[in-house]
Amino acid sequence: MRDVSRQESSQLMEAVVARENMLLALKRVESNKGAAGVDGMPVAGLRSYLRVHWPQVKEALLTGDYKPSPVRRVEIPKPGKGTRQLGIPTVLDRLIQQALHQVLQPIFEPQFSEHNFGFRPGRSALQAVELAQTYVAAGRRFVVDIDLEKFFDRVNHDMLMARVARRVADKRVLKLVRRYLQAGVMAEGLVSARTEGTPQGGPLSPLLSNILLDDLDKELEQRGHRFCRYADDCNIYVQTQRSGERVMESVTHFLEQRLKLKVNPEKSAVGRPWQRKFLGYSMTQDKAPRLKVAPESVKRLKSKVKEKLRRGRGQSLRKAIAELAPLLRGWLNYFRLAQVRGVFEDLDKWLRHRLRCLLWRQWKRTATRARNLMRRGLDRKRAWASVTNGRGPWWNAGASHMNQAYPKRFFDGMGLVSLLDQLRRLQLTA
């Protein structure tokens, strides 16, 4: 990737609004879809809007007069507890942010650390997990697990803009980036000003977070640390508890004094890698550690499955299984590095248990339950004894009569994703 000089970057706005760059940005915004912003315009309406208004928008960008609209505040549940606030820009602002991102990314990408795996082309969370595993295998069996408290809400605008200006000379671009940082937030019809933070939800925010946290990466490299960072999740691997505590203290001081960010004391700690999680994974304490799915990740998947089945009550079993398929395949694809397979087998059993429970509830009447069990091969006496046992749906779903009537091969035939079977196939072809 070509490095761009600061002199070249003085004419960046022309590159931003160039036809080829804008068409690429438009395709990406359309493919990402997403919700409407405060103006209510859907992604599908963007092209027709641009046919009429693009000349004026382009002129405003080139003269430095363009003013972004406020973002629409949306709250989504966070894993565990609480909510995460997203700021949804209008589709026009998403387009302009994407066009900006495409021009700014090549300027900053060459300077980023090899230990930074977040929001970068050709890099992923799974690569960070694999690197973490190599550090532990090499004898660094303590981890300094640093979590930044409300990172996207606490970014200091002046500090971030100073770092952008190190490599961008075009004052129109700098002004536009700052305006996006300061764009108000609309909630319940009222717009509030923003004096710090970069709203999650726009195409530009991930790049801006990397620009600011690159100072942390450079500091850790200068100190000779072995670390992995993905967005605001940073793990540093050391050899002793005492050295980990020293690193935690000094890095916390650097983040809070130099970057004006706050370390979350509840989620940050020095510990053993197998007692902590990193990007959804944990590992065993063997000398050659094996990757495994962290318990919190299993709990999160179960919660999503329960919610999908709860919303789909009354639908056929085949439809319920089809609804689960994208969730299960996506989860499995992310955790395909796992080397401890027991959790996948347990999840498969749990999924079948949930689906048998769904059937039992849908049958409702005792006679219907008995008739369906007999259709699946149980004799009359056993079927009626099973449906009149006085137990609840969950107990019956796990009992021998339902396991015999609806074994694994039945669910395989219905298209249920077997996490264990699919994991084996993925790892054999890897």
Side-chain angles (χ1 to χ4, degrees):
M1 190 175 290
R2 185 174 70 92
D3 199 357
V4 181
S5 69
R6 197 171 186 280
Q7 185 176 2
E8 286 178 278
S9 74
S10 64
Q11 298 298 313
L12 280 184
M13 190 58 82
E14 282 73 14
V16 171
V17 300
R19 178 179 174 79
E20 184 179 345
N21 188 56
M22 293 304 304
L23 283 173
L24 178 59
L26 179 59
K27 288 177 183 176
R28 290 190 175 169
V29 169
E30 287 176 334
S31 66
N32 290 337
K33 299 179 182 178
V38 295
D39 61 357
M41 185 196 300
V43 173
L46 183 55
R47 281 186 184 255
S48 57
Y49 177 88
L50 292 172
R51 288 190 194 103
V52 177
H53 298 284
W54 174 241
Q56 300 97 300
V57 174
K58 180 179 178 180
E59 180 64 22
L61 289 167
L62 288 171
T63 58
D65 295 327
Y66 181 81
K67 293 183 179 178
S69 301
V71 297
R72 181 168 65 88
R73 176 176 291 167
V74 176
E75 292 188 349
I76 61 171
K78 288 178 68 174
K81 60 179 180 178
T83 59
R84 175 179 286 114
Q85 291 187 356
L86 298 184
I88 308 299
T90 64
V91 289
L92 176 61
D93 282 324
R94 292 213 289 277
L95 173 71
I96 296 169
Q97 284 195 37
Q98 180 62 41
L100 269 172
H101 182 277
Q102 290 166 186
V103 170
L104 293 176
Q105 177 92 28
I107 296 174
F108 289 94
E109 178 63 27
Q111 79 179 38
F112 289 150
S113 167
E114 287 298 307
H115 301 85
N116 170 10
F117 294 88
F119 315 123
R120 297 179 63 191
R123 289 178 159 259
S124 69
L126 296 187
Q127 291 172 330
V129 170
E130 288 181 309
L131 182 58
Q133 184 184 22
T134 66
Y135 290 150
V136 179
R140 296 179 175 272
R141 298 175 70 82
F142 289 87
V143 60
V144 183
D145 187 353
I146 295 174
D147 182 90
L148 295 174
E149 187 174 287
K150 297 182 178 178
F151 168 71
F152 286 93
D153 296 333
R154 293 183 181 274
V155 170
N156 182 285
H157 290 174
D158 291 337
M159 199 158 287
L160 174 55
M161 289 309 304
R163 281 149 182 79
V164 176
R166 289 172 183 171
R167 298 180 68 83
V168 173
D170 192 324
K171 292 183 179 179
R172 297 164 299 176
V173 170
L174 294 173
K175 184 189 294 185
L176 183 59
V177 171
R178 185 178 279 274
R179 281 178 174 169
Y180 274 120
L181 289 173
Q182 295 177 336
V185 179
M186 179 175 283
E188 298 178 355
L190 298 176
V191 177
S192 55
R194 178 181 288 274
T195 57
E196 64 177 4
T198 171
Q200 287 179 270
L204 204 51
S205 292
L207 175 60
L208 295 178
S209 71
N210 269 335
I211 291 171
L212 181 63
L213 289 175
D214 188 57
D215 277 26
L216 170 63
D217 298 339
K218 295 295 191 291
E219 178 70 16
L220 295 178
E221 286 176 341
Q222 188 177 340
R223 297 182 186 184
H225 288 308
R226 306 290 187 270
F227 70 98
C228 311
R229 184 176 68 77
Y230 189 95
D232 56 341
D233 200 345
C234 183
N235 274 11
I236 307 165
Y237 294 86
V238 297
Q239 293 178 321
T240 68
Q241 175 80 23
R242 187 173 179 182
S243 61
E245 290 168 356
R246 286 199 302 269
V247 170
M248 175 67 82
E249 184 179 355
S250 63
V251 172
T252 299
H253 183 267
F254 175 85
L255 286 165
E256 296 184 349
Q257 297 302 313
R258 292 278 294 277
L259 298 184
K260 307 301 180 188
L261 298 170
K262 183 171 176 56
V263 172
N264 187 333
E266 292 182 5
K267 295 184 178 179
S268 302
V270 179
R272 296 290 199 175
W274 46 89
Q275 295 171 337
R276 308 292 298 175
K277 65 180 177 68
F278 181 50
L279 302 176
Y281 279 84
S282 187
M283 58 185 81
T284 65
Q285 55 183 308
D286 305 326
K287 188 172 183 180
R290 292 175 297 148
L291 293 174
K292 64 179 184 179
V293 182
E296 295 90 338
S297 301
V298 175
K299 185 178 179 182
R300 201 174 308 151
L301 174 66
K302 286 185 174 182
S303 177
K304 289 179 179 178
V305 168
K306 288 177 185 177
E307 180 59 30
K308 276 189 174 292
L309 294 179
R310 193 178 299 119
R311 288 204 307 265
R313 278 182 184 169
Q315 66 185 7
S316 69
L317 180 66
R318 190 175 294 277
K319 189 173 181 182
I321 288 172
E323 287 278 324
L324 290 176
L327 170 64
L328 297 177
R329 291 188 191 281
W331 190 88
L332 178 64
N333 188 54
Y334 183 79
F335 288 106
R336 66 184 184 271
L337 297 182
Q339 296 158 305
V340 178
R341 294 178 174 179
V343 67
F344 294 86
E345 184 177 7
D346 291 343
L347 277 169
D348 278 342
K349 292 176 181 176
W350 179 84
L351 283 163
R352 293 193 293 269
H353 196 155
R354 296 292 313 183
L355 292 170
R356 292 186 191 107
C357 188
L358 180 70
L359 283 175
W360 191 268
R361 288 180 185 277
Q362 286 179 346
W363 294 339
K364 293 182 181 177
R365 296 165 61 90
T366 303
T368 305
R369 289 170 175 169
R371 186 168 61 250
N372 283 320
L373 288 177
M374 286 187 282
R375 282 175 180 167
R376 293 294 305 167
L378 272 68
D379 62 66
R380 183 179 181 85
K381 182 178 179 181
R382 186 175 178 209
W384 277 98
S386 298
V387 301
T388 56
N389 59 33
R391 301 278 191 162
W394 184 251
W395 187 93
N396 276 287
S400 60
H401 50 272
M402 283 295 281
N403 277 275
Q404 182 180 329
Y406 294 90
K408 179 180 182 298
R409 64 178 177 275
F410 169 83
F411 291 104
D412 289 343
M414 293 288 285
L416 178 64
V417 175
S418 169
L419 296 173
L420 182 60
D421 292 349
Q422 292 294 324
L423 178 69
R424 285 171 175 156
R425 291 192 191 103
L426 282 172
Q427 293 182 342
L428 278 174
T429 57

